[in-house]
Amino acid sequence: MSESRLDTPLSFAGMTFNSRLLVGTGKYKDLQETGEAIETSGAEIVTVAVRRTNIGQNPDEPNLLDVISPDKYTILPNTAGCFNAKDAVRTCKLARELLGGHDLVKLEVLGDQKTLYPNVTETLVAARELIDDGFKVMVYTSDDPIVAKELEEMGCVAVMPLGSLIGSGLGIRNPYNIKLILENANVPILVDAGVGTASDAALAMELGCDGVLMNTAIAAAGNPVLMASAMKKAIEAGREAYLAGRMPRKLYASASSPIDGLIL
């Protein structure tokens, strides 16, 4: 393999992962489909909405961990449904208790119900408090390069700018801002939210992102298990394309075969 094709695993918070696809667990028709899709995706990190999913809080209900065992996957508790820093911090502390001291969390503090856009002010407050309390914070945020850098410098282990609104399937609406974030980053940058299909995931990787987190794009597909397979391949292909380096864009045509020595 040529030097340009060499790659290293995704690494943060003292852990390494071979898969750059992170997946969620919501919106599937049942736990069986959830387990099958996640296994097919090849993901090693699975995020769980602590406020919406049973991971041991309710012993009389099906436990999600029965199909996504912590022995097989890295469980990433998230604070989906939190609209202020106080609730987000409390949710992370609950997750740590339920998962036996687990300190890796995905922080998201939302602005409103309609857009689910990140509330950056409350996100900054929550991130600081969680980091000071020993949590390793992966943080969902806007695609603002200044905010992304501030979260990195604060001590977040990964920064996760949105591609577009959560669950919208609109893809990456502002690739230029994502590129600006990547240019200045010293921690992994993962697109989080908005991916709709495999080409969106490939684009994120071609931009140079370290990974992509998605849920609805797989769970809401006509065939979630098949879409999980497509997403796995898209992440791999996009990463390889990024490492290979795309050809320069040109305004005019350029012959793909030699023009010297034409047979007349």
Side-chain angles (χ1 to χ4, degrees):
M1 183 177 288
S2 67
E3 192 68 26
S4 64
R5 291 283 300 281
L6 294 178
D7 199 4
T8 56
L10 173 64
S11 299
F12 58 86
M15 297 178 285
T16 59
F17 304 93
N18 292 314
S19 174
R20 294 176 180 273
L21 173 59
L22 293 70
V23 296
T25 57
K27 301 183 179 180
Y28 290 97
K29 68 179 181 181
D30 53 36
L31 288 184
Q32 181 179 344
E33 184 179 74
T34 305
E36 290 177 359
I38 290 173
E39 183 174 7
T40 300
S41 75
E44 297 167 273
I45 303 174
V46 181
T47 188
V48 176
V50 179
R51 303 187 80 190
R52 298 171 178 165
T53 306
N54 181 34
I55 56 172
Q57 309 97 307
N58 302 310
D60 297 329
E61 296 181 5
N63 190 329
L64 180 63
L65 299 184
D66 290 339
V67 296
I68 52 162
S69 170
D71 294 332
K72 182 176 182 180
Y73 301 102
T74 295
I75 306 300
L76 180 62
N78 70 60
T79 60
C82 293
F83 291 84
N84 58 67
K86 182 179 179 180
D87 286 348
V89 170
R90 183 189 302 116
T91 300
C92 289
K93 290 181 177 180
L94 172 61
R96 182 165 61 184
E97 181 177 338
L98 289 169
L99 296 171
H102 189 89
D103 59 5
L104 180 66
V105 295
K106 178 197 167 191
L107 171 65
E108 55 181 84
V109 186
L110 307 175
D112 59 46
Q113 290 279 3
K114 183 177 181 179
T115 67
L116 301 181
Y117 201 81
N119 182 325
V120 170
T121 303
E122 290 290 295
T123 297
L124 290 166
V125 171
R128 169 54 63 200
E129 186 170 343
L130 289 169
I131 291 166
D132 289 346
D133 195 25
F135 283 93
K136 297 172 182 177
V137 179
M138 301 175 70
V139 58
Y140 167 68
T141 185
S142 66
D143 58 9
D144 184 331
I146 305 302
V147 171
K149 193 63 180 178
E150 184 171 354
L151 287 163
E152 175 194 319
E153 293 177 344
M154 186 183 292
C156 292
V157 299
V159 177
M160 308 173 76
L162 79 171
S164 52
L165 298 183
I166 291 174
S168 69
L170 291 173
I172 299 176
R173 296 292 85 197
N174 198 339
Y176 307 103
N177 273 27
I178 300 295
K179 286 291 288 183
L180 287 173
I181 292 171
L182 287 164
E183 285 178 7
N184 294 305
N186 294 307
V187 297
I189 303 298
L190 300 91
V191 162
D192 179 12
V195 167
T197 191
S199 57
D200 300 328
L203 173 59
M205 300 309 296
E206 288 172 15
L207 289 171
C209 292
D210 296 280
V212 180
L213 188 151
M214 66 181 74
N215 182 183
T216 309
I218 296 175
N223 184 330
V225 176
L226 187 58
M227 183 60 81
S229 176
M231 291 299 187
K232 176 183 179 180
K233 295 166 187 170
I235 293 288
E236 293 171 351
R239 181 66 178 177
E240 288 191 359
Y242 168 72
L243 293 171
R246 66 158 291 142
M247 63 167 285
R249 290 180 171 87
K250 300 177 182 179
L251 184 59
Y252 298 105
S254 176
S256 58
S257 56
I259 59 174
D260 293 334
L262 291 177
I263 300 174
L264 301 178

